[in-house]
């Protein structure tokens, strides 16, 4: 009976996308979570929850955030497309790019990587990361 009552608690992909877009825009403008929260009458913890999609953003708060972050409401949905739909049998959760950008390291790498002017250097960095993930996968299989 307990299994029947156990509902899926993972965030909706649309909420994940909107939360990521809030975070991206806030970071683009150099606005702290605390400053954004103050400007729309929330605590910084609530902004954190919105960005992680732990809580859903109401329409009125999204409108306020758009004004505070000097963007349109549609900005938060840009790039969503069919990403919100999970095909049967596919694992739910954020797409890999979203998961990556939700980490502090991911945000920093995403900001720094395009500043590398030489395509050859960017390619070598990508090759290095691929090699490191292959090594990690091989190590995990050996364990």
């Amino acid at each position: 009976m307990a299994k029947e009552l156990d509902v899926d608690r993972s965030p909706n992909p649309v909420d994940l996308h909107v939360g990521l877009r809030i975070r991206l825009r806030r970071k683009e403008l150099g606005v702290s979570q605390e400053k954004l929260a103050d400007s729309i009458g929330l605590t910084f913890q609530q902004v954190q929850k919105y960005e992680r999609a732990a809580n859903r953003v109401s329409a009125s708060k999204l409108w306020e955030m758009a004004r505070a972050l000097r963007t349109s409401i549609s900005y938060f949905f840009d790039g969503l497309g069919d990403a919100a739909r999970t095909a049967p049998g596919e694992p739910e959760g954020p797409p890999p790019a979203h998961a990556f950008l939700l980490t502090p390291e991911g945000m920093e790498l995403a900001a720094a990587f395009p500043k590398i002017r030489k395509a050859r250097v960017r390619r070598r960095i990508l090759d290095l990361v691929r090699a490191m993930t292959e090594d990690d996968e091989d190590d995990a299989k050996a364990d």
Side-chain angles (χ1 to χ4, degrees), residues 92-109:
E92 291 198 25
H98 284 196
F100 170 71
L101 290 171
L102 287 171
T103 67
E105 299 86 1
M107 287 294 296
E108 189 173 348
L109 279 171

Side-chain angles (χ1 to χ4, degrees), residues 104-133:
E105 299 86 1
M107 287 294 296
E108 189 173 348
L109 279 171
F113 194 79
K115 294 177 185 174
I116 301 169
R117 291 197 171 138
K118 294 183 180 180
R120 188 178 85 245
V121 174
R122 288 192 308 269
R123 173 60 55 192
R124 286 182 179 167
I125 291 169
L126 181 57
D127 290 342
L128 173 65
V129 172
R130 283 184 182 142
M132 292 171 70
T133 58

Side-chain angles (χ1 to χ4, degrees), residues 128-139:
L128 173 65
V129 172
R130 283 184 182 142
M132 292 171 70
T133 58
E134 288 170 7
D135 287 347
D136 284 350
E137 288 171 2
D138 291 343
D139 290 346

Side-chain angles (χ1 to χ4, degrees), residues 15-34:
D15 296 327
L16 284 167
H17 184 85
V18 169
L20 175 63
R21 297 290 290 177
I22 292 168
R23 181 176 181 161
L24 288 174
R25 182 63 180 167
R26 182 179 61 74
K27 293 274 194 172
E28 273 178 19
L29 297 176
V31 175
S32 69
Q33 287 177 333
E34 188 171 355

Side-chain angles (χ1 to χ4, degrees), residues 28-123:
E28 273 178 19
L29 297 176
V31 175
S32 69
Q33 287 177 333
E34 188 171 355
K35 186 173 178 184
L36 175 59
D38 287 345
S39 71
I40 59 176
L42 296 173
T43 65
F44 81 90
Q45 292 95 336
Q46 188 63 44
V47 171
Q48 281 180 331
K49 289 178 181 182
Y50 287 153
E51 289 183 359
R52 289 190 333 256
N55 286 357
R56 291 182 172 174
V57 184
S58 70
S60 60
K61 280 300 173 194
L62 193 60
W63 184 82
E64 290 177 34
M65 279 191 199
R67 289 190 61 167
L69 296 173
R70 300 188 311 269
T71 192
S72 65
I73 291 175
S74 65
Y75 168 86
F76 300 112
F77 299 96
D78 285 350
L80 185 61
D82 289 337
R85 297 187 189 131
T86 303
E90 283 186 26
E92 291 198 25
H98 284 196
F100 170 71
L101 290 171
L102 287 171
T103 67
E105 299 86 1
M107 287 294 296
E108 189 173 348
L109 279 171
F113 194 79
K115 294 177 185 174
I116 301 169
R117 291 197 171 138
K118 294 183 180 180
R120 188 178 85 245
V121 174
R122 288 192 308 269
R123 173 60 55 192

